[in-house]
Amino acid sequence: MADCIFCQIVRGERSAYKVYEDSDTLAFLDIFPLVEGHTLVIPKAHCERLQDLHPDLTAKVAHAVRAVTEKLEKALGAPATTIGINNGKAAGQVVPHLHIHILPRYENDGGGTIHSVVRTTTQRSLEEICHLIAKAR
Ligand code: 5GP
Ligand code: ZN
C-alpha cells in the first residue's frame, strides 16, 4: 500500500535498521525501542492482521520470527524474549501492517508478562466459552 509506512520500508523508500530479510519477510529495529533490540518482523506483502495474511506465508513469517529470536538472544546475550502482536486497533495496533514484536528479556528487567496485558472480569464459564470458540467458522 502506497501510504503504509512499513510498505515504504519494504520498498526502500523509508529507512530502517534491518536485521533479517528473506524473499517474503523483513525484520527491522523498532524506531522507539522498549528495550535494546526491540525488533519488528513483517511479511513484505501488505496485510493488516494475522488472519489477513496469505496462508502460504504463515509458515514463512513463523520461520522469520524464530530466526530473528535466535539472532537477538545470541547477539545481545538475552536469556529470553517476549513475542507478541497487537492484532487489531482495539488491541493497540497503530501501524496497520501486520508486525510481530520481539522484545529481548532479562531476569529482573522490571518488565511484565503476557498476563499483564489485560485482565477483565469473566462472566461465562470456561465450558461455555470453549463451546463458542470451537463451533466458530
Ligand atoms: P503497534 O502498536 O502498531 O503494534 O506498533 C507499531 C510499532 O511501530 C511501534 O512500536 C512503533 O515504535 C514502531 N514504528 C512506528 N513507525 C515506525 C517507523 O517509521 N520505523 C520503525 N522502525 N518503527 C516504527
Ligand atoms: Zn503495508
Side-chain angles (χ1 to χ4, degrees), residues 4 13 21 23 68-69 83 86-87 92 105 115-116 118 123:
C4 169
E13 297 164 7
E21 182 167 15
S23 55
V68 172
T69 298
I83 300 169
N86 292 324
N87 199 38
R105 297 297 304 270
H115 298 80
S116 60
V118 69
Q123 309 282 347

Side-chain angles (χ1 to χ4, degrees), residues 58-76:
T58 311
K60 296 256 191 176
V61 170
H63 175 85
V65 169
R66 179 178 173 160
V68 172
T69 298
E70 285 171 359
K71 277 165 77 71
L72 286 179
E73 289 197 5
K74 272 189 194 142
L76 299 169

